Each structure stands twice: as structure tokens, then as C-alpha cells.
């Protein structure tokens, strides 16, 4: 299937999953803790069921690694596979505040790199989609526009950082690079703010999983940005346990 056609279809899937999540938003769903201590709710599971059923129908020949399907974490990553986080930013979801910084993430990985991705923030009605080689878009309140990274402003780059996982290493990196203007936001929206030109750089030193980053990374790549390790090496997918190391996401070619 053509990558752009698949991206378009996944937008509809992400919207359906987002609608299921919103059915639970503000309803104080019961929270369980997974073996790694992270929270999971009925909203995570409902969204995942929708996504997995859709992928099984649309692309049954492609393996799926999904956050809430722990059996899939035991797979050895093939050359082509989906990475799914049905509710990225569960902690932000549980806050039930006006920020609404939680997302549905769906990405396709080929040969270690994300080639397409969809990130949907249902509480904000912002849907970002990107196909590497074809560009990236944002659809908000029914209006669709092309997006691309910007050149950093003359007064200096704007960084995005995690709301729930900001650490001392991030603060040191920002200080060492003389970056004082920062935006705090949750989930993979951090990648998307870079992709649509609202920010310029996203340093991350704490642990993330591949399903946390792949969709946002794809959107950023499609918009002209890149993600590398802090020592400027390629940032790849299909690692053991699907666990990420530190990375720097930024605007500009790379």
C-alpha cells in the first residue's frame, strides 16, 4: 500500500481511538499500575482495541508492537512494523485539566526509521500526520494545512520539555546551550510543536519507549526536522526491549 494512502487511513483510525478516549475523559476511570509502575486505564485499552482491529483489517501482513500488548514486546523487530501508543501521556489524561496534552500515536517503521506517523490530540482537536517524502499536515477544527519546521528565531531557539518527566540532565543541557525560552507540554505533542514551527528543539535524557516517540518522530521528519542521539548519531527503532536512550529532536535537515 502507498505510504500516503496508509497515512490517510490511519488518520481516521486515530480519530476513532481518540473519540473512545474522550468517552472516559473527566470520568475518573479506574487506574491500574503496570509492572513498570506506569498507569493504565480503560481508555488506553479501548483505544488500543480500536487501533489493533483496524490494523489487522488494513495491513494484516505488518507486525504491530503496541504499548498495552505486552506479548508484542517480546517480538524481535522485523524490518517493517507498526509502533502504537493508544494513549500517550496517560498522566496528563488523568489530570483532567485544560491542557489536554495526551495523544494517540501510530507509526510505521521501515529499516529502523519511522516513515509515516499520525499523532492525534483529541482534547485539543489537533491531528498531525506525516509521510516522509510527501510532507506533513495539521488538521484542527476541520481545517487542514501543510506544516514545516522553521529556522530558529534571531533571539534564540525555543525548547520543548516534558511536563511530567523533566530532569536535571535536561536542565543542564538547556543551560549549557544558552536556551532559556521553554514550553512544557506532555506526550508526543513535543515533536509536533517542532514540526509545525512553534518550537525549535526537544532534548530528552530520561527513558522513553519507542512507541512514545515513533509517530512524533515521523511527523517531524516529514516536516523537515530530525532526531539524533546527543552525540549526533542516528536514532533508530527496533532496539532490544524497544527502549530508547537519550535523544535530541530538532528542526533542520538531518
Amino acid at each position: 500500500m502507498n505510504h500516503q494512502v496508509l497515512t490517510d487511513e490511519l488518520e481516521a483510525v486515530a480519530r476513532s481511538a481518540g473519540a473512545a478516549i474522550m468517552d472516559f475523559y473527566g470520568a475518573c476511570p479506574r487506574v491500574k499500575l503496570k509492572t513498570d509502575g506506569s498507569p493504565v486505564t480503560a481508555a488506553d485499552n479501548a483505544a488500543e482495541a480500536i487501533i489493533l482491529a483496524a490494523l489487522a483489517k488494513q495491513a494484516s501482513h505488518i507486525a504491530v508492537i503496541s504499548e498495552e500488548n505486552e506479548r508484542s514486546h517480546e517480538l524481535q523487530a522485523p524490518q517493517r512494523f507498526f509502533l502504537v501508543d493508544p494513549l500517550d501521556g496517560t498522566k496528563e489524561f488523568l489530570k483532567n485539566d485544560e491542557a489536554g496534552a495526551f495523544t494517540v500515536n501510530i507509526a510505521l517503521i521501515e529499516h529502523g526509521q519511522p516513515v509515516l506517523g499520525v499523532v492525534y490530540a483529541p482534547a485539543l482537536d489537533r491531528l498531525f500526520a506525516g509521510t516522509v517524502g510527501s510532507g506533513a499536515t495539521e488538521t484542527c477544527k476541520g481545517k487542514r494545512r501543510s506544516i514545516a519546521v522553521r529556522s530558529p528565531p534571531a533571539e534564540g531557539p525555543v525548547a520543548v520539555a516534558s511536563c511530567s518527566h523533566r530532569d536535571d540532565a535536561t536542565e543542564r543541557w538547556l543551560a549549557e546551550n544558552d536556551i532559556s525560552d521553554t514550553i512544557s507540554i506532555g506526550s508526543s505533542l513535543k515533536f509536533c510543536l517542532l514540526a509545525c514551527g512553534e518550537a525549535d528543539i526537544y532534548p530528552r535524557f530520561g527513558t522513553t519507549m519507542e512507541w512514545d516517540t515513533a509517530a512524533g518522530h515521523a511527523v517531524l521528519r516529514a516536516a523537515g526536522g530530525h532526531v539524533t542521539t546527543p552525540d549526533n548519531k542516528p536514532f533508530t527503532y527496533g532496539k532490544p526491549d524497544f527502549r530508547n536512550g537519550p535523544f535530541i529532536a530538532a528542526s533542520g535537515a538531518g
Side-chain angles (χ1 to χ4, degrees):
M1 181 183 293
N2 177 276
H3 281 172
Q4 187 59 58
V5 172
L6 180 57
T7 302
D8 294 341
E9 292 185 356
L10 293 181
E11 289 187 32
V13 175
R15 286 191 181 278
S16 295
I21 289 170
M22 294 304 291
D23 286 341
F24 294 93
Y25 191 45
C28 298
R30 184 178 178 183
V31 179
K32 295 182 180 179
L33 293 180
K34 294 184 287 187
T35 54
D36 63 359
S38 61
V40 62
T41 71
D44 298 74
N45 295 327
E48 180 167 79
I50 290 170
I51 296 168
L52 295 186
L55 293 180
K57 182 178 180 180
Q58 296 174 354
S60 60
H61 59 292
I62 303 176
V64 182
I65 313 299
S66 183
E67 178 177 14
E68 306 310 335
N69 180 5
E70 292 191 4
R71 291 186 64 183
S72 72
H73 307 173
E74 301 172 3
L75 297 176
Q76 182 176 352
Q79 290 189 342
R80 192 176 196 222
F81 63 100
F82 286 110
L83 276 169
V84 171
D85 190 342
L87 176 47
D88 182 29
T90 302
K91 290 181 180 179
E92 307 306 318
F93 168 78
L94 291 170
K95 289 179 182 178
N96 191 27
D97 57 16
E98 294 182 358
F102 52 88
T103 59
V104 177
N105 299 343
I106 309 173
L108 177 65
I109 308 299
E110 292 183 349
H111 305 289
Q113 288 296 313
V115 295
L116 64 85
V118 174
V119 175
Y120 180 44
L124 304 177
D125 192 21
R126 297 185 76 174
L127 188 148
F128 299 89
T131 306
V132 175
S134 298
T137 62
E138 178 189 3
T139 305
C140 183
K141 303 186 187 306
K143 295 183 178 181
R144 188 182 186 92
R145 67 184 181 104
S146 296
I147 58 173
V149 297
R150 69 181 184 183
S151 297
E155 59 271 23
V158 176
V160 287
S162 174
C163 282
S164 301
H165 303 282
R166 193 157 170 172
D167 54 20
D168 291 340
T170 300
E171 297 294 350
R172 286 194 300 272
W173 189 92
L174 293 171
E176 290 168 359
N177 288 274
D178 297 320
I179 299 175
S180 58
D181 193 355
T182 64
I183 299 170
S184 293
I185 195 167
S187 73
S188 57
L189 284 171
K190 293 182 282 293
F191 292 97
C192 298
L193 294 191
L194 271 61
C196 69
E198 294 180 21
D200 307 291
I201 198 157
Y202 165 32
R204 183 62 180 256
F205 294 91
T207 299
T208 59
M209 303 303 291
E210 292 188 2
W211 45 78
D212 295 321
T213 61
H217 185 173
V219 172
L220 180 58
R221 283 190 74 201
H226 66 279
V227 180
T228 65
T229 65
D231 54 356
N232 206 34
K233 293 180 180 179
F235 189 77
T236 61
Y237 292 81
K239 299 181 290 295
D241 300 326
F242 302 96
R243 187 176 301 275
N244 290 328
F247 63 82
I248 308 294
S251 59

